Short mmCIF file of all heavy atoms in Angstrom, two decimals:
data_model
loop_
_atom_site.label_atom_id
_atom_site.label_comp_id
_atom_site.label_asym_id
_atom_site.label_seq_id
_atom_site.Cartn_x
_atom_site.Cartn_y
_atom_site.Cartn_z
N GLY E 1 16.24 47.50 47.50
CA GLY E 1 16.71 46.07 47.56
C GLY E 1 15.72 45.14 46.99
O GLY E 1 15.09 44.33 47.61
N ARG E 2 15.55 45.23 45.64
CA ARG E 2 14.60 44.34 44.91
C ARG E 2 15.24 43.03 44.52
O ARG E 2 16.47 42.89 44.40
CB ARG E 2 14.09 45.06 43.68
CG ARG E 2 13.63 46.48 43.87
CD ARG E 2 12.59 46.66 44.95
NE ARG E 2 12.13 47.98 45.12
CZ ARG E 2 11.61 48.49 46.20
NH1 ARG E 2 11.48 47.72 47.33
NH2 ARG E 2 11.24 49.73 46.25
N THR E 3 14.45 42.05 44.32
CA THR E 3 14.90 40.71 43.91
C THR E 3 15.66 40.86 42.61
O THR E 3 15.15 41.45 41.62
CB THR E 3 13.73 39.79 43.71
OG1 THR E 3 13.00 39.63 44.95
CG2 THR E 3 14.19 38.36 43.29
N HIS E 4 16.82 40.37 42.57
CA HIS E 4 17.74 40.32 41.36
C HIS E 4 18.10 41.72 40.84
O HIS E 4 18.39 41.95 39.69
CB HIS E 4 17.12 39.55 40.20
CG HIS E 4 16.90 38.08 40.47
ND1 HIS E 4 16.36 37.21 39.57
CD2 HIS E 4 17.10 37.34 41.58
CE1 HIS E 4 16.33 36.04 40.06
NE2 HIS E 4 16.73 36.10 41.33
N GLN E 5 18.01 42.76 41.75
CA GLN E 5 18.10 44.13 41.31
C GLN E 5 19.36 44.39 40.48
O GLN E 5 19.28 44.95 39.40
CB GLN E 5 18.06 45.11 42.44
CG GLN E 5 18.16 46.56 42.05
CD GLN E 5 17.94 47.51 43.18
OE1 GLN E 5 17.08 47.28 44.05
NE2 GLN E 5 18.69 48.63 43.25
N ILE E 6 20.53 44.07 40.97
CA ILE E 6 21.79 44.33 40.30
C ILE E 6 21.74 43.59 38.92
O ILE E 6 22.17 44.19 37.89
CB ILE E 6 23.03 43.93 41.10
CG1 ILE E 6 23.09 44.87 42.33
CG2 ILE E 6 24.30 44.01 40.30
CD1 ILE E 6 24.16 44.43 43.31
N ARG E 7 21.36 42.38 38.94
CA ARG E 7 21.42 41.57 37.76
C ARG E 7 20.47 42.12 36.69
O ARG E 7 20.84 42.16 35.48
CB ARG E 7 21.05 40.10 38.09
CG ARG E 7 21.98 39.49 39.08
CD ARG E 7 21.42 38.25 39.71
NE ARG E 7 21.27 37.17 38.72
CZ ARG E 7 20.62 35.99 38.99
NH1 ARG E 7 20.06 35.86 40.17
NH2 ARG E 7 20.51 35.06 38.03
N VAL E 8 19.26 42.57 37.08
CA VAL E 8 18.34 43.16 36.12
C VAL E 8 18.82 44.46 35.58
O VAL E 8 18.78 44.72 34.39
CB VAL E 8 16.90 43.28 36.80
CG1 VAL E 8 16.00 44.09 35.90
CG2 VAL E 8 16.37 41.93 37.12
N HIS E 9 19.30 45.32 36.47
CA HIS E 9 19.71 46.67 36.01
C HIS E 9 20.99 46.65 35.10
O HIS E 9 21.03 47.36 34.12
CB HIS E 9 19.93 47.57 37.24
CG HIS E 9 18.71 48.24 37.77
ND1 HIS E 9 18.67 49.00 38.89
CD2 HIS E 9 17.47 48.23 37.27
CE1 HIS E 9 17.47 49.48 39.09
NE2 HIS E 9 16.69 49.10 38.09
N MET E 10 21.92 45.81 35.49
CA MET E 10 23.11 45.73 34.66
C MET E 10 22.78 45.14 33.27
O MET E 10 23.34 45.56 32.26
CB MET E 10 24.18 44.91 35.34
CG MET E 10 24.76 45.58 36.64
SD MET E 10 25.06 47.40 36.50
CE MET E 10 26.20 47.55 35.18
N ALA E 11 21.88 44.16 33.29
CA ALA E 11 21.49 43.52 32.00
C ALA E 11 20.73 44.55 31.11
O ALA E 11 20.88 44.62 29.95
CB ALA E 11 20.60 42.32 32.25
N ALA E 12 20.02 45.47 31.82
CA ALA E 12 19.23 46.54 31.10
C ALA E 12 20.09 47.50 30.36
O ALA E 12 19.71 47.96 29.30
CB ALA E 12 18.27 47.20 32.04
N VAL E 13 21.31 47.70 30.88
CA VAL E 13 22.26 48.67 30.22
C VAL E 13 23.29 47.85 29.36
O VAL E 13 24.29 48.39 28.98
CB VAL E 13 22.91 49.58 31.21
CG1 VAL E 13 21.90 50.49 31.85
CG2 VAL E 13 23.67 48.82 32.30
N ARG E 14 22.94 46.60 29.15
CA ARG E 14 23.72 45.69 28.26
C ARG E 14 25.07 45.40 28.79
O ARG E 14 26.05 45.19 28.06
CB ARG E 14 23.87 46.28 26.89
CG ARG E 14 22.49 46.55 26.20
CD ARG E 14 22.57 47.05 24.77
NE ARG E 14 21.27 47.24 24.19
CZ ARG E 14 21.06 47.65 22.97
NH1 ARG E 14 22.09 48.00 22.16
NH2 ARG E 14 19.83 47.76 22.53
N HIS E 15 25.21 45.29 30.14
CA HIS E 15 26.42 44.85 30.76
C HIS E 15 26.03 43.85 31.91
O HIS E 15 26.21 44.14 33.03
CB HIS E 15 27.17 46.04 31.40
CG HIS E 15 27.65 47.04 30.38
ND1 HIS E 15 28.66 46.79 29.47
CD2 HIS E 15 27.15 48.30 30.07
CE1 HIS E 15 28.84 47.83 28.70
NE2 HIS E 15 27.95 48.77 29.03
N PRO E 16 25.51 42.68 31.47
CA PRO E 16 25.13 41.69 32.49
C PRO E 16 26.30 41.20 33.29
O PRO E 16 27.49 41.29 32.86
CB PRO E 16 24.56 40.59 31.63
CG PRO E 16 25.20 40.67 30.30
CD PRO E 16 25.39 42.13 30.08
N CYS E 17 26.02 40.72 34.51
CA CYS E 17 27.06 40.13 35.30
C CYS E 17 27.65 38.88 34.60
O CYS E 17 26.89 38.06 34.04
CB CYS E 17 26.51 39.67 36.67
SG CYS E 17 25.92 41.03 37.73
N VAL E 18 28.93 38.80 34.58
CA VAL E 18 29.61 37.64 33.93
C VAL E 18 29.10 36.38 34.68
O VAL E 18 29.02 36.35 35.89
CB VAL E 18 31.14 37.75 34.03
CG1 VAL E 18 31.81 36.51 33.50
CG2 VAL E 18 31.58 39.00 33.25
N GLY E 19 28.80 35.34 33.91
CA GLY E 19 28.32 34.08 34.47
C GLY E 19 26.81 34.06 34.78
O GLY E 19 26.42 33.19 35.55
N ASP E 20 26.07 34.95 34.24
CA ASP E 20 24.64 35.07 34.57
C ASP E 20 23.80 34.89 33.23
O ASP E 20 23.21 35.84 32.75
CB ASP E 20 24.34 36.43 35.19
CG ASP E 20 22.92 36.51 35.81
OD1 ASP E 20 22.24 35.46 35.79
OD2 ASP E 20 22.51 37.58 36.25
N PRO E 21 23.67 33.67 32.72
CA PRO E 21 23.01 33.48 31.47
C PRO E 21 21.51 33.78 31.54
O PRO E 21 20.85 34.09 30.54
CB PRO E 21 23.21 31.99 31.18
CG PRO E 21 23.54 31.39 32.50
CD PRO E 21 24.28 32.42 33.27
N LEU E 22 20.92 33.72 32.77
CA LEU E 22 19.49 34.09 32.85
C LEU E 22 19.22 35.48 32.38
O LEU E 22 18.13 35.80 31.91
CB LEU E 22 19.07 33.85 34.32
CG LEU E 22 17.57 34.15 34.69
CD1 LEU E 22 16.68 33.12 33.92
CD2 LEU E 22 17.35 34.10 36.16
N TYR E 23 20.21 36.34 32.62
CA TYR E 23 20.09 37.73 32.18
C TYR E 23 20.96 38.14 31.04
O TYR E 23 21.34 39.31 30.94
CB TYR E 23 20.25 38.62 33.45
CG TYR E 23 19.10 38.52 34.44
CD1 TYR E 23 19.21 37.78 35.56
CD2 TYR E 23 17.90 39.13 34.15
CE1 TYR E 23 18.27 37.62 36.48
CE2 TYR E 23 16.80 38.96 35.07
CZ TYR E 23 17.01 38.25 36.21
OH TYR E 23 15.95 38.13 37.09
N GLY E 24 21.26 37.15 30.20
CA GLY E 24 21.92 37.47 28.94
C GLY E 24 23.41 37.45 28.86
O GLY E 24 24.06 37.85 27.93
N ALA E 25 24.08 36.90 29.88
CA ALA E 25 25.58 36.87 29.87
C ALA E 25 26.06 35.81 28.89
O ALA E 25 25.29 34.81 28.65
CB ALA E 25 26.14 36.59 31.23
N ASP E 26 27.23 35.97 28.42
CA ASP E 26 27.80 35.00 27.48
C ASP E 26 28.31 33.79 28.15
O ASP E 26 29.27 33.82 28.95
CB ASP E 26 29.01 35.70 26.77
CG ASP E 26 29.71 34.90 25.71
OD1 ASP E 26 29.21 33.77 25.41
OD2 ASP E 26 30.70 35.27 25.17
N PRO E 27 27.69 32.63 27.82
CA PRO E 27 28.15 31.35 28.47
C PRO E 27 29.56 30.92 28.11
O PRO E 27 30.26 30.23 28.89
CB PRO E 27 27.10 30.37 28.01
CG PRO E 27 26.55 30.85 26.75
CD PRO E 27 26.59 32.34 26.94
N VAL E 28 29.99 31.32 26.89
CA VAL E 28 31.37 31.00 26.49
C VAL E 28 32.44 31.68 27.41
O VAL E 28 33.41 31.08 27.82
CB VAL E 28 31.58 31.39 25.03
CG1 VAL E 28 33.02 31.11 24.61
CG2 VAL E 28 30.65 30.54 24.14
N LEU E 29 32.13 33.00 27.74
CA LEU E 29 33.11 33.73 28.57
C LEU E 29 33.07 33.10 29.95
O LEU E 29 34.14 32.98 30.58
CB LEU E 29 32.69 35.22 28.66
CG LEU E 29 33.43 36.06 29.60
CD1 LEU E 29 34.97 36.08 29.29
CD2 LEU E 29 32.92 37.51 29.62
N ALA E 30 31.94 32.76 30.47
CA ALA E 30 31.86 32.12 31.80
C ALA E 30 32.62 30.84 31.82
O ALA E 30 33.35 30.58 32.83
CB ALA E 30 30.35 31.86 32.17
#
């Protein structure tokens, strides 16, 4: 249970959470 764990791990495999620009998500899609 690390801080931002899901957001960091999904961004690391190039599938960031939709709506999460801090970790590389597309703001246009959001």
Side-chain angles (χ1 to χ4, degrees):
R2 311 307 181 203
T3 302
H4 297 184
Q5 179 173 322
I6 294 173
R7 300 163 67 189
V8 171
H9 274 176
M10 296 316 303
V13 295
R14 300 184 180 180
H15 297 289
C17 294
V18 175
D20 192 6
L22 181 64
Y23 289 102
D26 180 6
V28 175
L29 175 59

